[in-house]
Amino acid sequence: MKQLWRYWKAYRRESILAPLFKMLEASFELAVPLVMAAIIDTGIARADRPYIYRMCGVLFLLALIGLVCSVTAQYFAAKAAVGCTKAMKQDLFAHLQSLSYRELDTLGTSTMITRMTSDCNQVQAGINLTLRLLLRSPFVVLGAMVMAFTIDTKAALIFAVAIPVLAVIVFGIMVYTIPLYRKAQGKLDGVLQATRENLTGVRVIRAFGQEEQEVRSYEEKTKELENVQEFVGKLSALMNPACLVVVNLAIVALIWTGAIRVNLGILTQGAVVALYNYMSQILVELIKLANLIINVTKAVASWKRIDSVFAIQTSLISGKEQPQARGGEIRFQQAALQYTSASAEAISQITLTIQPGQSVGIIGSTGSGKTSLISLIPRFYDATRGAVLVDGLDVKDWDLEQLRSRIGIVPQKAVLFRGTIRQNLLWGKPDATEEELWQALEIAQAREVVEGKEGQLDFVLEQGGGNLSGGQRQRLTIARALVRRPEILILDDSMSALDLLTDSRLRKALSAMTPRPTVILVSQRATSVRHCDQIVVMEDGHMAGVGTHEELRKTCPVYREICDSQYREEA
């Protein structure tokens, strides 16, 4: 809980003022039964209307002051709860950004979304209710019991018996439901994962006619969540009726005892009404306390899930070396990558040297290890064996920010963010001039695309670039990488949506860049890599061949098979 306290202590003033004003409200509320007793015993008994009016004025004043105190307490509690959650979400997001791909793969997207949204909201509600009710409800319960003893000791003994019984019921149910709420949040992860997968792959699902199967699968997951929530909901629902039974039995005993003592002249009728009001106040506050405990239980379970993410430390430790000289040389020395300890190596025994300014094509079938190989260069993953060197320095020794600032990466999936084209391009270099933006668009063969849009650079893109075609999205993502003029440019199958003519023009434009970057082109098309200075052929995580197009046609059966399956060479 130290991590949570770190956020909470920034709002110490609000965390003190909120319960303080709630206690003030409770104090005025505890005075109400005494005023009611005075109205009955003095005003009504003597038919003293002026006295009744004065006491009604006092009741109105107590209600008004209580309202002001309650609103003030709510303001401070909400400010503290929202402020804590805001800082928590910011830190959680920053922490997730600091994790390597290895940790992100382990966590999963759906559970990260749940913890950023549902779990954080549960913690916020828990903090808010805690500041408002944690001290107020016990204060009213104990205060009502003390006030009852000041009225009549024998009758107040009923309070002393009822309150411990109620405490056992409330805390017993709470202890049993805490792990169940945690389990329910875990089931929610599964529902969100299924939702995300279906929304992401909706076209594939429809193409293969799997709608009914996906609906059944989704219904199964939601049914599991429903069963857990229904069971824990039933347990929690026992709290209110159980408390009501105990309190009503106590009220019956109180009225019976009070009636006897009124007949004996020990108590007044007003005193019995006051005792009844105090018992009613205890009932209301215990119901509030029960709801508080339910919400705090959910908040604690959610916080533990959030804290478990904070507890994950990134496996990528940034080095301190910041070389000033520009280069672009890349060397793989017996490099291997294993995603998990239980899985086989995705790539192994990779030994390769790429000279500065070279263009290198990487080709192979799906799952051959092409993306795994290039992910070692910017340290998305660390090599589990061997080493990867950039400009003669192991990437693990590089300052991570420095290393990645020299590399331009265009991933397989073209990702554009909602905003203008200009805003998307400036991700590559925030201080880029308009001339630099147009130069990058020119090289990426995207100039005509932008010039054809209303507003040109200020044309607003939908989320994911939904108002562009696949080829347009790819060209803009390539332009974004080129804005920073990287020493190393990695194109991970990011030209698949381009026609052959645009593909050829793009490769020529990259070759004409000054200074010329080291270009690594991952593709499944032999036509895209055949003009590269050297081609690396991947098969089952190993290098099946390295050389030029002509050399590999003669010496590498895998490459020859790929070429023959795609086109026939001209004689």
Side-chain angles (χ1 to χ4, degrees):
M1 300 298 287
K2 290 181 180 179
Q3 182 83 355
L4 181 59
W5 172 244
R6 185 166 69 85
Y7 302 115
W8 208 331
K9 70 180 181 181
Y11 295 90
R12 279 177 288 198
R13 182 172 68 91
E14 289 80 1
S15 299
I16 293 172
L17 290 175
L20 177 63
F21 276 99
K22 271 294 180 181
M23 301 268 279
L24 285 172
E25 179 206 356
S27 300
F28 292 119
E29 189 175 324
L30 288 171
V32 170
L34 296 180
V35 177
M36 290 295 298
I39 290 173
I40 294 170
D41 291 339
T42 304
I44 295 176
R46 299 177 183 176
D48 189 346
R49 289 191 175 183
Y51 183 82
I52 294 173
Y53 293 151
R54 287 197 304 273
M55 289 298 101
C56 287
V58 171
L59 286 176
F60 178 78
L61 184 61
L62 289 173
L64 182 62
I65 296 173
L67 175 63
V68 172
C69 290
S70 178
V71 171
T72 306
Q74 175 60 50
Y75 168 77
F76 286 120
K79 184 177 179 181
V82 173
C84 286
T85 309
K86 175 188 174 184
M88 185 194 309
K89 286 183 176 180
Q90 289 174 338
D91 283 357
L92 183 59
F93 184 78
H95 182 72
L96 290 172
Q97 291 291 320
S98 72
L99 298 178
S100 72
Y101 280 21
R102 195 180 299 277
E103 285 83 38
L104 294 176
D105 291 343
T106 303
L107 279 171
T109 304
S110 59
T111 187
M112 287 188 284
I113 293 173
T114 306
R115 296 179 202 208
M116 282 288 298
T117 53
S118 176
D119 286 327
C120 285
N121 291 339
Q122 290 284 10
V123 172
Q124 178 179 319
I127 292 173
N128 194 331
L129 290 172
T130 296
L131 292 177
R132 289 165 49 203
L133 299 176
L134 184 63
L135 293 180
R136 183 192 189 281
S137 292
F139 177 77
V140 171
V141 172
L142 294 176
M145 187 169 68
V146 170
M147 296 299 288
F149 272 101
T150 62
I151 295 173
D152 184 69
T153 303
K154 188 173 180 180
L157 290 175
I158 298 170
F159 287 75
V161 174
I163 290 174
V165 174
L166 291 167
V168 169
I169 293 171
V170 169
F171 287 101
I173 293 175
M174 179 192 72
V175 169
Y176 194 74
T177 54
I178 285 178
L180 293 175
Y181 280 118
R182 196 176 304 134
K183 184 178 179 181
Q185 288 297 107
K187 295 294 183 183
L188 180 60
D189 283 348
V191 172
L192 286 175
Q193 182 180 0
T195 304
R196 181 177 178 275
E197 287 177 348
N198 277 273
L199 290 175
T200 305
V202 62
R203 294 185 180 182
V204 178
I205 293 169
R206 290 177 179 175
F208 286 89
Q210 295 295 308
E211 293 93 337
E212 292 185 6
Q213 181 178 334
E214 290 301 318
V215 168
R216 286 195 300 270
S217 175
Y218 185 79
E219 287 176 349
E220 288 174 5
K221 288 182 171 60
T222 53
K223 188 64 178 178
E224 289 175 4
L225 175 62
E226 178 189 351
N227 290 339
V228 175
Q229 288 185 328
E230 186 178 349
F231 181 65
V232 71
K234 287 177 180 178
L235 285 177
S236 300
L238 287 174
M239 197 175 294
N240 284 1
C243 291
L244 283 169
V245 169
V246 174
V247 169
N248 283 311
L249 288 174
I251 288 174
V252 170
L254 181 64
I255 293 174
W256 179 65
T257 303
I260 294 173
R261 296 177 73 77
V262 166
N263 286 334
L264 295 174
I266 301 173
L267 281 179
T268 63
Q269 293 174 335
V272 174
V273 172
L275 288 171
Y276 175 83
N277 284 337
Y278 281 128
M279 184 59 76
S280 299
Q281 284 182 355
I282 288 174
L283 171 62
V284 171
E285 292 306 320
L286 283 172
I287 291 174
K288 288 181 181 179
L289 185 61
N291 291 327
L292 167 66
I293 289 170
I294 290 171
N295 282 280
V296 168
T297 299
K298 294 178 181 179
V300 170
S302 293
W303 168 249
K304 287 182 178 179
R305 285 162 49 82
I306 295 170
D307 195 40
S308 68
V309 177
F310 280 120
I312 298 172
Q313 298 299 316
T314 180
S315 57
L316 289 181
I317 307 301
S318 177
K320 297 182 180 180
E321 297 292 335
Q322 301 185 20
Q324 299 302 315
R326 292 180 63 86
E329 182 192 57
I330 304 167
R331 277 189 288 159
F332 294 88
Q333 297 179 341
Q334 297 293 311
L337 174 61
Q338 186 178 14
Y339 286 107
T340 64
S341 58
S343 65
E345 288 184 335
I347 57 173
S348 59
Q349 301 295 317
I350 303 297
T351 299
L352 176 68
T353 299
I354 302 173
Q355 298 298 333
Q358 261 193 334
S359 61
V360 177
I362 301 178
I363 193 169
S365 60
T366 302
S368 59
K370 303 186 298 297
T371 300
S372 298
L373 178 63
I374 62 169
S375 67
L376 298 178
I377 301 171
R379 287 193 74 194
F380 290 155
Y381 295 94
D382 274 336
T384 47
R385 285 192 297 111
V388 180
L389 286 72
V390 172
D391 292 336
L393 184 65
D394 194 320
V395 291
K396 295 179 181 179
D397 297 327
W398 276 79
D399 176 82
L400 200 55
E401 187 175 345
Q402 276 283 321
L403 173 66
R404 291 177 178 173
S405 69
R406 300 188 181 203
I407 302 173
I409 304 172
V410 185
Q412 287 177 317
K413 183 180 179 181
V415 178
L416 293 169
F417 298 91
R418 181 173 178 82
T420 63
I421 292 176
R422 185 192 307 275
Q423 290 170 333
N424 274 271
L425 294 179
L426 288 175
W427 271 59
K429 185 181 178 184
D431 58 349
T433 63
E434 187 152 331
E435 182 183 357
E436 289 175 320
L437 298 182
W438 283 111
Q439 285 177 352
L441 290 168
E442 183 90 40
I443 297 170
Q445 308 302 303
R447 186 184 187 101
E448 61 180 18
V449 174
V450 177
E451 287 178 338
K453 300 297 181 184
E454 184 179 354
Q456 297 188 357
L457 287 173
D458 295 318
F459 177 74
V460 178
L461 302 177
E462 294 179 0
Q463 183 178 349
N467 50 346
L468 298 176
S469 68
Q472 290 173 339
R473 286 197 296 270
Q474 286 192 340
R475 281 180 275 178
L476 285 179
T477 53
I478 292 171
R480 181 173 58 195
L482 290 171
V483 168
R484 65 168 59 178
R485 291 283 174 161
E487 296 175 29
I488 300 170
L489 178 63
I490 301 174
L491 303 175
D492 184 7
D493 204 13
S494 51
M495 297 158 65
S496 58
L498 304 185
D499 60 81
L500 294 177
L501 181 59
T502 305
D503 185 313
S504 176
R505 288 174 177 172
L506 175 57
R507 285 187 281 104
K508 289 178 181 178
L510 291 174
S511 300
M513 286 180 65
T514 305
R516 185 179 176 183
T518 303
V519 179
I520 300 176
L521 176 58
V522 178
S523 180
Q524 305 216 25
R525 294 196 315 207
T527 52
S528 296
V529 301
R530 63 175 295 172
H531 298 290
C532 292
D533 297 325
Q534 66 174 332
I535 302 169
V536 179
V537 184
M538 297 294 296
E539 184 182 32
D540 296 331
H542 296 82
M543 288 197 307
V546 180
T548 63
H549 172 72
E550 290 76 14
E551 291 171 349
L552 291 171
R553 284 285 292 173
K554 297 174 183 177
T555 61
C556 183
V558 176
Y559 184 73
R560 188 163 55 247
E561 183 182 344
I562 291 172
C563 291
D564 290 342
S565 66
Q566 293 181 6
Y567 64 93
R568 290 183 179 181
E569 287 190 315
E570 294 181 0

